[in-house]
């Protein structure tokens, strides 16, 4: 008999659930959370950055050159950094989600999701993600 085998009566209560389904719900929750963060960034930092760059954007609309883009960002460094951060976060979430859709979750990420699911199950209804991962169990 293998060491990993435990009779049903000896399995802790927090392990008596469909681990794969709960991990999939946690993954979907992670995807939604990342996109909500990107939307929040664009609505706050992105809007402010674009508003700060409005004069440079107007100049670029009239006379588009890469020099105009460069100097617009150089003379407004904080707005430029904010805009680059918004674009970088959007691209990183797009690439991450595309990888997961095309090739599936890597085994390491799947194991991490399962471990997080078990940790949420151990904490019980006090965990803030309980309702979304386990529903009304």
């Amino acid at each position: 008999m293998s060491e990993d085998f435990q009779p049903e009566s000896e399995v802790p209560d927090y392990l008596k659930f469909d681990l794969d389904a709960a991990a999939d719900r946690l993954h979907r929750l992670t995807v939604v959370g990342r996109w909500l963060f990107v939307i929040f960034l664009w609505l706050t930092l992105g809007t402010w950055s674009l508003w700060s760059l409005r004069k440079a954007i107007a100049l670029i609309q009239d006379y588009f050159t890469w020099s105009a883009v460069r100097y617009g960002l150089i003379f407004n460094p904080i707005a430029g950094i904010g805009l680059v951060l918004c674009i970088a976060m959007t691209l990183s979430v797009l690439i991450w989600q595309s990888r997961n859709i095309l090739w599936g979750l890597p085994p390491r990420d799947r194991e991490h999701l399962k471990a997080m699911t078990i940790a949420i199950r151990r904490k019980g209804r006090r965990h803030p993600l309980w309702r979304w991962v386990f529903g009304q169990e």
Side-chain angles (χ1 to χ4, degrees):
M1 195 182 306
S2 98
E3 295 176 15
D4 294 333
F5 177 75
Q6 293 179 346
E8 185 67 31
S9 60
E10 294 180 18
V11 175
D13 286 340
Y14 64 87
L15 289 177
K16 293 180 183 176
F17 62 95
D18 186 8
L19 184 60
D20 289 327
D24 287 339
R25 286 191 295 271
L26 184 59
H27 179 257
R28 281 194 302 269
L29 189 63
T30 304
V31 170
V32 169
R34 286 181 185 215
W35 280 114
L36 286 175
F37 180 68
V38 167
I39 290 169
F40 172 76
L41 268 181
W42 276 107
L43 289 177
T44 55
L45 188 60
T47 304
W48 177 82
S49 296
L50 289 172
W51 184 256
S52 297
L53 291 169
R54 67 186 181 276
K55 291 180 183 175
I57 291 171
L59 178 66
I60 291 169
Q61 284 178 337
D62 291 337
Y63 306 101
F64 179 78
T65 62
W66 288 110
S67 297
V69 173
R70 181 172 175 245
Y71 282 109
L73 294 175
I74 286 175
F75 288 116
N76 300 300
I78 295 174
I81 290 170
L83 196 59
V84 166
L85 180 69
C86 290
I87 293 170
M89 285 302 296
T90 303
L91 286 176
S92 69
V93 172
L94 273 173
I95 292 168
W96 173 79
Q97 190 173 5
S98 297
R99 180 206 61 182
N100 291 344
I101 290 170
L102 293 174
W103 294 294
L105 277 174
R108 192 175 109 211
D109 290 351
R110 172 64 66 186
E111 292 304 316
H112 178 70
L113 280 172
K114 287 180 181 180
M116 291 297 297
T117 304
I118 291 172
I120 292 169
R121 186 68 176 205
R122 276 189 192 135
K123 189 149 186 180
R125 296 187 187 277
R126 295 174 301 167
H127 197 282
L129 299 179
W130 172 273
R131 183 172 28 144
W132 289 285
V133 175
F134 295 105
Q136 300 298 326
E137 288 184 13

